[in-house]
Amino acid sequence: MEERTRILDQYGARVYKNRKEHVVQVENAPSNQSIAANSRSVPGIMTNRGCCYAGCKGVVLGPLKDVAIITHGPIGCGFYSWGTRRNKATPVDGRNFLEYCLSTDLQEPDIVFGGEKKLKQAIREAVGIFHPKCVMICSTCPVGLIGDDIQAVADWAQQEFSIKCLAFSCEGYKGVSQSAGHHIANNGLMKYIVGSGDAPPAKRFSVNILGEYNIGGDEWEIARILKRIGYDIVATFTGNGSYETMKNAHTASLNLVQCHRSINYIAEMMKDKYNIDWIKINFIGLGAVCKSLRDMAKYFGDPDLTARTEAVIADELSEIQDDIDYYREKLKGKTAGIFVGGSRSHHYQNLLADFGVHTVIAGYEFAHRDDYEGRGILPNIKEDADSKNIEQLHMQPDEKHYRMIVSKERFEDLKQEIPLADYGGMIHEMNDGNMVIDDFNHFETLELLRLFKPDFFFSGIKDKYILQKAGVVSRQMHSYDYSGPYAGFRGAVNFARDISMGLNVPVWGYVTPPWKTEPTLTGRLTHP
Ligand code: CFM
Ligand code: HCA
């Protein structure tokens, strides 16, 4: 495939060997191609990834509005994770801790003599000023290196102040990206918070929303729709979320999983521990929202709920129909590239397609193989004759990686569970010639621009301005460039408005992208 070769051929042998596994050009769509993912970035390469601490503190814990989260480390880590991730929340009793950035601000002497004293002092101050019911401590790299015992400090704080205090050893260097941090945060929330409340069982149509972080107010729009239909939202993990609601999350009837990458661990653990089913939903994109609402109604199987679902869908769609038609006319036939963390690059393809925009290049920073390749059950369920009571489930798409050997009993359970948990990956849904790239870097980004010339490039902070300077409309899909919400029905219109403005703004008349003045094809003369 031409474009893939043209990018990879520019690498030296060692980098080529590594990157070739992470760069796929789609063939024979719907494709079952595989991709390497969730592995170490090439040292020195300009990756867009973040670290384990970012995934734990910044992403999963960060949005909890009634928890005093203290970053134990140099001030830059606390400040960056506070200022960058766009956590928004409705205050409770006029208070919202998200407005504050709490850190121990470790200095060289603390690295030499230890930082535990400073951490205790920070907790004492946070408790004195904010009176939180829950404090969380998150470690950065140096803390792991000098060996501060943050767990012991947390135990001390629980006794001293009669509060809940959780310690997360999420040093940045653990794992290969934010992804390890998600897992650490999920484990802590599950072990110490979920199930610790004593609320009575929630109402009949009660749900938790997992993996929804209220970027740009998405959670507010989703909650608006669900409440109209008659759902009771027990807890959201963790956008606009709180310690108080999360304690009783175990009382909900169903878990809805929006960002699978960051929260699948909790969905699975709640199934095991409380027998709460989970379904994969997606509230980004009109078709996806309607399908998700219908899947939820199907799950509960109540005729009134189903009727209300259809009535709300019809009403919401009619409210926005004129806007949708207007923006579709402006946007149809355009092309896009989308590279975000671990789930949006897939979800937003649905929304773009609603307006006739084709995604031709896409990828994630730190997704795992199942996010690219999908997860589902293949029809060939085999029985292993030699091992009594043993069944094998062959999971898509690569048996080598997804083969599970389970007991007969568990197999019956899984057959029930898997169709619900089943979801398609990015590669299956892209067309021939499209590129899918894992852990994309700045060099590849510029090459993709030259080769595909997309009308839009959606990505993050670290590459936004190089794209813009190259004359391409770039939208920051982590913070929506401070716009939003983009989820749900009304969010779809906001999104279309923003990208349409980006395309039609007169500034592009003043920018000349390099390919308008320089040749884009280069060749080397090998025979004089
Ligand atoms: Fe999930 Fe996210 Fe994402 Fe993610 Fe993130 Fe984010 Fe993201 Mo930035 S939890 S994987 S670690 S949807 S912070 S809200 S935008 S990279 S694609
Ligand atoms: C993070 C948070 C981030 C960063 C965005 C970016 C976010 O993972 O550290 O670097 O472009 O959404 O704010 O993903």
Side-chain angles (χ1 to χ4, degrees):
M1 282 286 204
E2 197 195 332
E3 285 86 359
R4 178 176 182 272
T5 312
R6 285 174 67 182
I7 294 174
L8 291 172
D9 274 358
Q10 299 182 63
Y11 284 130
R14 277 181 60 199
V15 178
Y16 176 90
K17 193 164 170 250
N18 178 301
R19 291 301 299 157
K20 77 178 184 354
E21 310 290 338
H22 298 264
V23 178
V24 168
Q25 193 150 17
V26 176
E27 285 174 51
N28 303 323
S31 160
N32 269 340
Q33 283 158 284
S34 58
I35 191 166
N38 192 30
S39 55
R40 242 160 62 98
S41 302
V42 176
I45 219 158
M46 289 290 282
T47 170
N48 290 281
R49 280 177 168 175
C51 66
C52 177
Y53 160 82
C56 179
K57 188 270 171 186
V59 174
V60 179
L61 305 179
L64 294 169
K65 59 190 171 189
D66 57 354
V67 179
I69 306 180
I70 300 175
T71 295
H72 189 31
I75 193 64
C77 303
F79 189 76
Y80 186 80
S81 60
W82 174 77
T84 307
R85 185 55 155 11
R86 198 176 170 212
N87 301 329
K88 285 165 87 79
T90 317
V92 183
D93 300 330
R95 281 159 31 111
N96 175 6
F97 295 167
L98 303 187
E99 288 163 5
Y100 302 90
C101 168
L102 311 182
S103 169
T104 49
D105 185 19
L106 277 191
Q107 304 286 327
E108 284 90 340
D110 307 314
I111 302 294
V112 176
F113 298 109
E116 287 173 21
K117 244 175 52 206
K118 211 169 183 185
L119 179 58
K120 285 185 176 174
Q121 182 56 22
I123 298 172
R124 187 173 285 117
E125 284 176 27
V127 171
I129 297 168
F130 298 106
H131 312 292
K133 289 194 184 136
C134 180
V135 170
M136 293 180 182
I137 305 163
C138 291
S139 285
T140 60
C141 298
V143 171
L145 297 174
I146 63 178
D148 277 357
D149 189 347
I150 60 165
Q151 189 56 59
V153 175
D155 292 345
W156 164 84
Q158 298 216 120
Q159 296 288 321
E160 184 78 9
F161 306 113
S162 303
I163 49 159
K164 190 93 153 182
C165 187
L166 270 53
F168 294 86
S169 294
C170 55
E171 289 83 357
Y173 56 74
K174 283 187 173 162
V176 298
S177 68
Q178 287 95 318
S179 186
H182 300 149
H183 205 156
I184 292 171
N186 278 220
N187 287 347
L189 294 180
M190 208 45 215
K191 196 162 173 195
Y192 298 109
I193 298 187
V194 173
S196 64
D198 50 14
K203 290 187 211 126
R204 184 147 171 240
F205 306 125
S206 57
V207 295
N208 295 314
I209 312 176
L210 271 54
E212 167 48 52
Y213 299 95
N214 202 26
I215 308 299
D218 281 352
E219 195 262 353
W220 292 325
E221 166 68 357
I222 296 167
R224 182 187 71 79
I225 300 165
L226 296 189
K227 282 180 188 157
R228 265 198 87 181
I229 296 174
Y231 288 105
D232 180 30
I233 301 166
V234 180
T236 305
F237 291 64
T238 50
N240 193 24
S242 66
Y243 165 68
E244 280 303 330
T245 54
M246 207 171 262
K247 284 197 302 192
N248 295 311
H250 64 293
T251 62
S253 314
L254 178 67
N255 279 328
L256 308 174
V257 177
Q258 171 70 31
C259 167
H260 169 266
R261 181 65 278 128
S262 59
I263 211 100
N264 68 85
Y265 318 99
I266 285 182
E268 300 281 359
M269 287 185 277
M270 286 181 80
K271 174 70 191 165
D272 280 349
K273 196 163 171 189
Y274 303 108
N275 201 25
I276 301 177
D277 287 327
W278 64 272
I279 59 172
K280 177 77 189 80
I281 46 81
N282 175 21
F283 289 116
I284 306 288
L286 296 171
V289 178
C290 296
K291 180 179 183 310
S292 300
L293 295 176
R294 289 185 175 123
D295 285 352
M296 290 167 64
K298 213 181 290 168
Y299 177 83
F300 285 103
D302 177 83
D304 290 344
L305 185 78
T306 306
R308 278 203 304 278
T309 301
E310 291 305 329
V312 168
I313 290 176
D315 189 52
E316 293 280 340
L317 285 176
S318 77
E319 191 186 293
I320 59 173
Q321 197 58 53
D322 288 350
D323 288 331
I324 301 296
D325 294 344
Y326 174 78
Y327 288 119
R328 207 184 145 82
E329 207 43 51
K330 287 191 171 301
L331 295 168
K332 69 173 186 235
K334 303 286 180 215
T335 58
I338 179 158
F339 292 85
V340 207
S343 73
R344 286 163 187 251
S345 312
H346 187 195
H347 290 148
Y348 274 84
Q349 289 190 30
N350 295 292
L351 183 50
L352 288 164
D354 287 337
F355 293 97
V357 180
H358 307 291
T359 302
V360 289
I361 44 181
Y364 299 114
E365 291 172 23
F366 51 76
H368 296 202
R369 286 187 59 192
D370 54 349
D371 302 305
Y372 289 105
E373 298 170 5
R375 187 175 113 168
I377 185 161
L378 281 180
N380 58 331
I381 299 162
K382 288 189 200 145
E383 255 187 80
D384 186 338
D386 298 333
S387 43
K388 303 146 230 105
N389 268 347
I390 297 285
E391 301 265 4
Q392 294 187 355
L393 290 187
H394 289 260
M395 309 290 284
Q396 265 185 7
D398 176 352
E399 293 180 10
K400 221 170 44 214
H401 282 80
Y402 292 101
R403 179 180 297 171
M404 292 165 66
I405 301 183
V406 294
S407 71
K408 228 179 188 122
E409 236 168 58
R410 180 76 181 127
F411 175 73
E412 285 307 319
D413 280 355
L414 280 172
K415 269 207 297 195
Q416 301 295 320
E417 271 171 42
I418 283 174
L420 285 175
D422 187 14
Y423 56 90
M426 175 191 277
I427 295 177
H428 301 286
E429 288 175 21
M430 296 196 68
N431 293 328
D432 281 344
N434 292 172
M435 300 274 297
V436 178
I437 301 193
D438 173 65
D439 186 16
F440 66 111
N441 57 53
H442 284 197
F443 166 72
E444 288 162 9
T445 302
L446 289 173
E447 288 304 295
L448 290 171
L449 283 192
R450 279 188 340 116
L451 296 168
F452 287 86
K453 301 184 186 56
D455 296 294
F456 301 104
F457 201 109
F458 300 99
S459 61
I461 293 163
K462 301 176 192 90
D463 51 354
K464 179 181 166 67
Y465 296 101
I466 52 168
L467 297 159
Q468 209 146 291
K469 284 182 210 162
V472 180
V473 182
S474 102
R475 293 293 301 176
Q476 225 263 73
M477 289 319 288
H478 300 259
S479 69
Y480 305 162
D481 289 311
Y482 307 99
S483 182
Y486 287 165
F489 295 103
R490 295 181 185 170
V493 177
N494 292 337
F495 178 74
R497 182 202 60 215
D498 287 352
I499 67 170
S500 172
M501 276 198 310
L503 202 63
N504 294 304
V505 72
V507 72
W508 300 118
Y510 301 102
V511 181
T512 312
W515 55 81
K516 295 232 169 115
T517 54
E518 292 163 23
T520 52
L521 277 175
T522 52
R524 198 181 301 142
L525 207 57
T526 49
H527 299 289

